[in-house]
Amino acid sequence: NLPLEGGAIGAVQHGGFLYVSGERSFSIYDIKKPDDPQLMSTRELGEHALNEHPDTNGRILLLSRDAVPATRSLEVWDVTDKANPQRIGGFANPGTDHTWACVLDCRFVYGSHGTIVSLANPASPVKVGDWRTAVSPAPTRFHGIDQVAPGFVLTASEPTVFLDATTDPVNPRALAIADPPVSFAGAVNRRSIPSYAHWPLGTRDRFALESIETPFSGPCTEGSGGLVTYDTTGFQTTGRFEIADVFRITQNGNFSDGYPPTNVTGCSAFGLAESPTWSSDHLVAVAWLEHGVRLLRVAAADGRISEVGGFMGHGTEAAYLIWAPHRRTSRAQPHSLLLHILYVADLTRGLDVYRVRPGLA
């Protein structure tokens, strides 16, 4: 465990370095030895930064100052010198985008709520479009956004949209949409929100994944947010992904049974990360806030989800996860004994480092 002031809420890995963001700062770690991260630098950002979804191409780092909607902004940092990152630009967009994603090697930045920004000059970001115009009616209820293959973007929104920005990044085309299960029966206080959406193997897998958040909604119920698998079969013709399965945690407990007795941030999935050996193990790690980290397996045949493991640290608020590049524990070991390292950004604990053997789960 590596404590961080204000905890940690987001992370991104690139080129042997891990970038971890929190409410008050961000830090850069050298992870060339994956199970022993070495701190390169920390930059204070002041209160209410939040930065849920950092993104990088290894040269510039995107941060979201997004805790207070009225003062939301994109920040651009030069991180070529990992020991001395420098803020070089920014883009104010009050009340709109919550998170940002690098697109086409960070030449463009897509905001979670629709904004498209050009970084032709990273020190002077310029708004050039709105990806919501690709869909009619325009999506609502947004959270995460990710480039899932070069020039292809998947939005965590209602509906979820698969965008092609390869030809015209300023005017992307919608290739497919998915309707998240947003009306969870029994949910209280807050409606569900699509949180993060991924498509394993750079869109080559049959199934796409999306976490659904029910923030500040009380104890776990059948209405709590969870992990969704979408069957993408035939989307080129139908323009749609269809729900294959939804996995929820529906009970609270007494810690010793693997479930906390109550929830403050809400019983729901948040960050998710498919394993680096997805093609063989179909394992996805999901940050489940007070319920810690849950390891789920997606059946290759039909997208059904089953729980195969997890870890619930003391006082956990697991928010986001990143797998390190995998390695074998010895040359003699078979593929099933690959040793994985999983980094977990935790709102209360900071950065946790786990060892996982997916083949044994």
Side-chain angles (χ1 to χ4, degrees):
N1 172 259
L2 303 172
L4 293 172
E5 184 181 6
I9 196 168
V12 61
Q13 184 268 136
H14 189 281
F17 295 94
L18 181 70
Y19 305 78
V20 181
S21 59
E23 184 175 354
R24 299 176 60 90
S25 65
F26 76 90
S27 299
I28 304 176
Y29 293 89
D30 184 332
I31 56 168
K32 294 183 180 64
K33 185 178 179 183
D35 56 357
D36 186 21
Q38 297 297 309
L39 180 65
M40 300 292 294
S41 60
T42 296
R43 283 290 179 269
E44 295 295 328
L45 300 170
E47 294 184 8
H48 308 305
L50 200 58
N51 297 312
E52 287 192 17
H53 189 260
D55 208 354
T56 186
N57 62 1
R59 301 184 302 277
I60 60 173
L61 176 70
L62 308 180
L63 295 175
S64 306
R65 186 175 290 274
D66 57 346
V68 181
T71 58
R72 281 179 176 163
S73 65
L74 165 69
E75 293 194 358
V76 183
W77 287 71
D78 182 340
V79 292
T80 51
D81 182 352
K82 312 303 179 189
N84 188 31
Q86 299 292 322
R87 186 183 186 278
I88 58 173
F91 176 83
N93 65 328
T96 50
D97 302 271
H98 185 52
T99 60
W100 301 88
C102 276
V103 177
L104 296 171
D105 196 34
C106 283
R107 290 189 288 114
F108 293 88
V109 184
Y110 277 34
S112 60
H113 290 48
T115 305
I116 302 175
V117 173
S118 170
L119 287 186
N121 178 2
S124 183
V126 177
K127 180 179 179 179
V128 293
D130 189 328
W131 60 258
R132 291 175 301 173
T133 61
V135 181
S136 182
T140 60
R141 299 186 64 76
F142 311 87
H143 188 272
I145 187 166
D146 277 284
Q147 179 178 248
V148 291
F152 292 94
V153 176
L154 197 56
T155 73
S157 57
E158 185 183 319
T160 296
V161 186
F162 180 45
L163 297 167
D164 179 357
T166 56
T167 303
D168 187 355
V170 175
N171 298 287
R173 295 186 302 120
L175 300 182
I177 64 170
D179 293 316
V182 294
S183 300
F184 285 136
V188 296
N189 298 333
R190 296 288 186 96
R191 284 182 59 198
S192 55
I193 303 170
S195 194
Y196 291 102
H198 289 190
W199 194 343
L201 303 181
T203 74
R204 290 180 287 110
D205 198 76
R206 175 181 169 183
F207 298 101
L209 313 171
E210 187 167 51
S211 56
I212 305 293
E213 183 187 7
T214 42
F216 309 108
S217 56
C220 299
T221 69
E222 292 290 341
S224 298
L227 180 72
V228 182
T229 50
Y230 295 109
D231 192 338
T232 68
T233 303
F235 80 88
Q236 300 90 339
T237 301
T238 65
R240 296 190 59 83
F241 301 161
E242 300 298 338
I243 293 175
D245 196 18
V246 183
F247 177 90
R248 304 178 180 89
I249 294 176
T250 59
Q251 70 267 37
N252 290 104
N254 57 17
F255 289 121
S256 62
D257 59 3
Y259 303 95
T262 188
N263 291 269
V264 177
T265 49
C267 178
S268 61
F270 197 54
L272 74 157
E274 60 272 24
S275 86
T277 49
W278 172 270
S279 58
S280 61
D281 59 41
H282 281 78
L283 191 72
V284 56
V286 183
W288 223 284
L289 301 170
E290 282 98 341
H291 284 259
V293 175
R294 299 294 165 141
L295 297 176
L296 307 177
R297 181 160 286 137
V298 176
D302 57 10
R304 301 289 293 180
I305 306 167
S306 58
E307 185 174 6
V308 295
F311 188 86
M312 189 172 65
H314 176 70
T316 185
E317 288 280 359
Y320 203 79
L321 320 94
I322 295 287
W323 295 94
H326 70 269
R327 62 184 178 89
R328 296 179 188 274
T329 54
S330 75
R331 290 182 180 275
Q333 285 187 323
H335 183 75
S336 63
L337 294 184
L338 285 171
L339 176 65
H340 287 6
I341 298 297
L342 179 66
Y343 304 111
V344 181
D346 193 293
L347 285 159
T348 56
R349 294 171 56 84
L351 179 66
D352 280 332
V353 184
Y354 297 150
R355 290 191 180 95
V356 183
R357 285 188 173 87
L360 302 181

